[in-house]
């Protein structure tokens, strides 16, 4: 068949998955592969060695069917896509395939073990392309519980299973706050938290921070608002020679509040302050004063660190003759409204000092969705080995990991910026570490092969790792496998890092907003 204004793509929509085809490109080359699907104006196939290939239909001159094509896959299966953690309400998607072809308009019977998941329709019916979507809910109260979801279709000949963790609080809105590790700090420490209502982080809520007794610490800032991930950040600081204990209360105006006890001491004799002010688009300025015994300190190097990192560096600077410093920095394009903890550190006269402050930074991208993807680990998860740092202790833990990450994805042309979720669950013996309610800071895709995502997520599980984590996730498709890398760090230096592989599932998708 010869090409005419992309008619090859139109023709291939009628070809069964698993059919062997040979294409002739406009450069005169030929490639034979197993046809998998059409995405927009691209044809996706699989070479004999398992490598996925993609061709633009406009670059094809002709298509032929080899005289002895390989047999398509036999048998029937149900492929499920389930979030690694389901909080109160979510949805499950899947596909029914027999002999390499979608099975349309067939009932799919669903169940969970234990039976904590309620399915809005059961059975649910596949559409004309063999796909199905069903809303699910979890009763409150349900603490974090591992579940297995099973699906049966085509008179019992098609089956599928997937694992997840379910949870649902009885409280509509929950404000979780986290202070310095162990509730104590030396001169300066972090304070952060996340506001979640009905399992969804809430943006733009005013946050007020108070302390009892008043004036025990310098809290910077004492008022702020939740960012696009529902997070807030602040610093707790003590003046040189100060000490004290206070109950710190954080109130999300009209939603919820929470309190923690914090103690601090500061034996230093020098001090550093910091303030952030916005400049032009995507630029900010951090400034402050370095003193020792109230005497300004000139020619002192000041360094900066940020949490989350956001792929951003604030260059070091040096204090002037009056002890003041100022540095302008730029937030990377595509950064959503993000609460950031900035640490300014110096060593006047060889005495290390630092201060912490919370602020909100952003640099919106012209297009909120640069691409879209849906990725997950199928079945009961994948084996993985993680390197863990918890305070002063480093360890290596082997176990099972489950990951789901969906950004801007819709099952058709276009993108939906409201689709913004990732979650990670890891279980290795008594060590259970989950990253839930994950929300993006920024992400990108490399063609239809790999994704890079930075976001924040809240730690749960039986491990003592706690608080908000800055999460870097990459996923690269190589043949029939996905290579995952996860690096997660909180603001006190605890970390979880792993690299592992899992199988590509039928629900796996990476592409631009025009593809489907």
């Amino acid at each position: 068949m010869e090409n005419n204004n992309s008619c090859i793509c139109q023709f291939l929509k009628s070809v069964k998955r698993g059919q062997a085809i040979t294409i002739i490109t406009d450069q005169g080359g030929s490639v034979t592969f197993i046809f998998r699907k059409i995405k927009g104006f691209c044809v996706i196939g699989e070479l004999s060695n398992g490598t996925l290939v993609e061709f633009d239909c406009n670059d094809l001159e002709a298509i032929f069917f080899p005289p002895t094509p390989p047999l398509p896959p036999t048998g029937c299966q149900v492929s499920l896509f389930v979030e690694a953690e389901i909080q109160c309400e979510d949805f499950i998607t899947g596909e029914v395939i027999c002999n390499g072809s979608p099975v349309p308009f067939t009932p799919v019977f669903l169940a969970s073990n234990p039976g904590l998941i309620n399915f809005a329709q059961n059975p649910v019916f596949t559409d004309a392309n063999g796909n199905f979507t069903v809303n699910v809910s979890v009763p409150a109260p349900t603490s974090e519980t591992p579940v297995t979801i099973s699906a049966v279709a085509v008179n019992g000949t098609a089956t599928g299973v997937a694992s997840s963790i379910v949870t649902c609080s009885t409280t509509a809105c929950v404000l979780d706050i986290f202070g310095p590790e162990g509730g104590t700090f030396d001169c300066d420490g972090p304070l952060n938290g996340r506001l979640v209502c009905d399992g969804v982080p809430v943006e733009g809520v005013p946050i007020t921070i108070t302390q009892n007794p008043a004036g025990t610490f310098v809290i910077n800032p004492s008022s702020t608002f939740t960012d696009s991930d529902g997070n807030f950040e602040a610093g707790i600081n003590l003046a040189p020679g100060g000490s004290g204990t206070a109950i710190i209360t954080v109130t999300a105006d009209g939603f919820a509040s929470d309190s923690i006890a914090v103690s601090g001491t500061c034996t230093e004799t020098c001090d550093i302050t910091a303030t952030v002010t916005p400049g032009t688009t995507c630029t900010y300025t951090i400034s402050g004063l370095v003193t020792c015994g109230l005497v300004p300190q000139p020619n002192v190097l000041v360094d900066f660190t940020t949490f989350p990192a956001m792929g951003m560096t604030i260059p070091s600077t040096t204090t002037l003759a009056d002890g003041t410093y100022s540095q302008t920095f730029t937030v990377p394009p595509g950064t959503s409204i993000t609460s950031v903890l900035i640490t300014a550190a110096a060593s006047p006269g060889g005495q290390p000092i630092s201060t912490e402050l919370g602020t909100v930074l952003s640099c919106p991208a012209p297009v909120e969705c640069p691409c879209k993807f849906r990725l997950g680990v199928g079945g009961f998860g994948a084996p993985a080995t993680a390197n863990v740092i918890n305070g002063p202790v480093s360890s290596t833990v082997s176990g099972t990991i489950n990951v789901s990450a969906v950004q801007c994805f819709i099952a058709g042309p276009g993108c939906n910026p409201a689709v913004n979720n990732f979650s990670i669950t890891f279980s290795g013996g008594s060590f259970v570490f989950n990253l839930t309610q994950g929300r993006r800071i920024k992400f990108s895709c490399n063609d239809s092969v790999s994704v890079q995502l930075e976001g924040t997520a809240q730690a749960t599980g039986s491990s003592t790792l706690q608080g908000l984590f800055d999460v870097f996730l990459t996923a690269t498709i190589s043949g029939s496998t996905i290579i995952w890398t996860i690096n997660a760090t909180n603001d006190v230096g605890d970390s979880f890092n792993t690299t592992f592989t899992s199988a590509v599932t039928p629900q796996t998708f990476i592409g631009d907003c025009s593809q489907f």
Side-chain angles (χ1 to χ4, degrees), residues 429-469:
S430 61
F431 180 85
V432 177
F433 177 67
N434 305 321
L435 290 169
T436 67
Q437 303 163 1
R439 295 296 185 271
R440 67 177 177 258
I441 295 174
K442 57 182 180 178
F443 74 99
S444 62
C445 307
N446 181 14
D447 296 325
S448 298
V449 177
S450 65
V451 301
Q452 301 80 40
L453 167 70
E454 181 188 5
T456 59
Q458 184 170 323
T460 65
S462 63
S463 81
T464 55
L465 298 177
Q466 67 166 359
L468 298 177
F469 275 71

Side-chain angles (χ1 to χ4, degrees), residues 48-119:
S48 59
N49 63 2
T51 302
L52 294 179
V53 291
E54 180 175 336
F55 297 93
D56 189 325
C57 289
N58 292 311
D59 296 334
L60 306 184
E61 289 295 328
I63 176 175
F64 303 97
F65 295 98
T68 56
L71 292 174
T74 59
C76 299
Q77 66 173 345
V78 181
S79 178
L80 292 170
F81 183 87
V82 181
E83 300 285 354
E85 179 170 81
I86 297 173
Q87 292 195 348
C88 297
E89 295 184 1
D90 212 316
F91 59 89
I92 293 173
T93 63
E95 182 181 29
V96 180
I97 298 176
C98 283
N99 299 319
S101 298
V103 181
F105 312 119
T106 192
V108 181
F109 296 86
L110 300 160
S112 70
N113 184 23
L116 294 172
I117 297 180
N118 298 314
F119 302 93

Side-chain angles (χ1 to χ4, degrees), residues 89-163:
E89 295 184 1
D90 212 316
F91 59 89
I92 293 173
T93 63
E95 182 181 29
V96 180
I97 298 176
C98 283
N99 299 319
S101 298
V103 181
F105 312 119
T106 192
V108 181
F109 296 86
L110 300 160
S112 70
N113 184 23
L116 294 172
I117 297 180
N118 298 314
F119 302 93
Q121 300 89 34
N122 198 4
V124 60
F125 284 79
T126 60
D127 61 16
N129 298 311
N131 300 314
F132 64 89
T133 300
V134 59
N135 293 321
V136 297
S137 60
V138 178
T142 298
S143 59
E144 285 192 333
T145 305
V147 298
T148 299
I149 297 103
S150 58
V152 178
V154 195
N155 297 319
T157 62
T159 61
V161 294
S163 62

Side-chain angles (χ1 to χ4, degrees), residues 5 41 108 152 191 221 267 271-272 297 324 342 360 472 477 486 497:
N5 296 326
F41 291 100
V108 181
V152 178
L191 176 68
T267 59
D271 192 25
I272 181 172
Q297 301 295 300
T324 62
I342 300 178
V360 179
F472 291 85
I477 296 176
I486 296 169
N497 302 291

Side-chain angles (χ1 to χ4, degrees), residues 84-415:
E85 179 170 81
I86 297 173
Q87 292 195 348
C88 297
E89 295 184 1
D90 212 316
F91 59 89
I92 293 173
T93 63
E95 182 181 29
V96 180
I97 298 176
C98 283
N99 299 319
S101 298
V103 181
F105 312 119
T106 192
V108 181
F109 296 86
L110 300 160
S112 70
N113 184 23
L116 294 172
I117 297 180
N118 298 314
F119 302 93
Q121 300 89 34
N122 198 4
V124 60
F125 284 79
T126 60
D127 61 16
N129 298 311
N131 300 314
F132 64 89
T133 300
V134 59
N135 293 321
V136 297
S137 60
V138 178
T142 298
S143 59
E144 285 192 333
T145 305
V147 298
T148 299
I149 297 103
S150 58
V152 178
V154 195
N155 297 319
T157 62
T159 61
V161 294
S163 62
S164 183
I165 289 178
V166 297
T167 181
C168 191
S169 171
T170 55
T171 305
C173 293
V174 177
L175 177 66
D176 289 314
I177 63 174
F178 307 95
E181 194 164 22
T184 62
F185 69 95
D186 182 15
C187 296
D188 59 275
L191 176 68
N192 59 38
R194 170 172 284 190
L195 176 65
V196 176
C197 293
D198 297 323
V200 179
V202 183
E203 177 183 356
V205 176
I207 296 291
T208 303
I209 306 171
T210 58
Q211 53 184 312
N212 185 21
T216 305
F217 309 123
V218 176
I219 299 177
N220 190 5
S222 59
S223 62
T224 182
F225 59 90
T226 57
D227 65 9
S228 57
D229 295 345
N231 301 336
F232 74 90
E233 294 280 353
I236 311 173
N237 300 278
L238 268 172
S243 64
T245 299
I247 302 297
I248 295 180
T249 300
V250 180
T251 302
D253 187 24
F255 288 85
S257 64
D258 196 10
S259 300
I260 57 173
V262 175
S263 297
T265 59
C266 190
T267 59
E268 297 167 356
T269 58
C270 297
D271 192 25
I272 181 172
T273 64
T275 303
V276 171
T277 55
T280 57
T281 303
C282 302
T283 64
Y284 296 80
T285 298
I286 184 168
S287 58
L289 174 67
V290 177
T291 59
C292 289
L294 302 181
V295 178
Q297 301 295 300
N299 301 316
V300 176
L301 183 68
V302 181
D303 297 315
F304 308 97
T305 58
T306 61
F307 175 87
M310 305 192 307
M312 178 183 71
T313 299
I314 303 178
S316 301
T317 189
T318 303
T319 59
L320 303 176
D322 60 358
T324 62
Y325 68 88
S326 179
Q327 182 62 275
T328 299
F329 60 95
T330 301
V331 177
T335 301
S336 60
I337 299 172
T338 304
S339 294
V340 181
L341 184 71
I342 300 178
T343 302
S347 296
Q351 180 183 149
I353 58 174
S354 59
T355 188
E356 299 188 27
L357 76 153
T359 188
V360 179
L361 307 176
S362 68
C363 184
V367 178
E368 189 171 356
C369 291
C371 54
K372 62 181 178 180
F373 64 83
R374 179 176 63 185
L375 298 170
V377 176
F380 293 102
T385 298
N387 297 314
V388 178
I389 297 177
N390 191 351
V393 180
S394 299
S395 60
T396 300
V397 184
S398 296
T400 300
I401 195 167
N402 194 4
V403 182
S404 60
V406 187
Q407 296 295 326
C408 293
F409 180 82
I410 57 175
C415 281

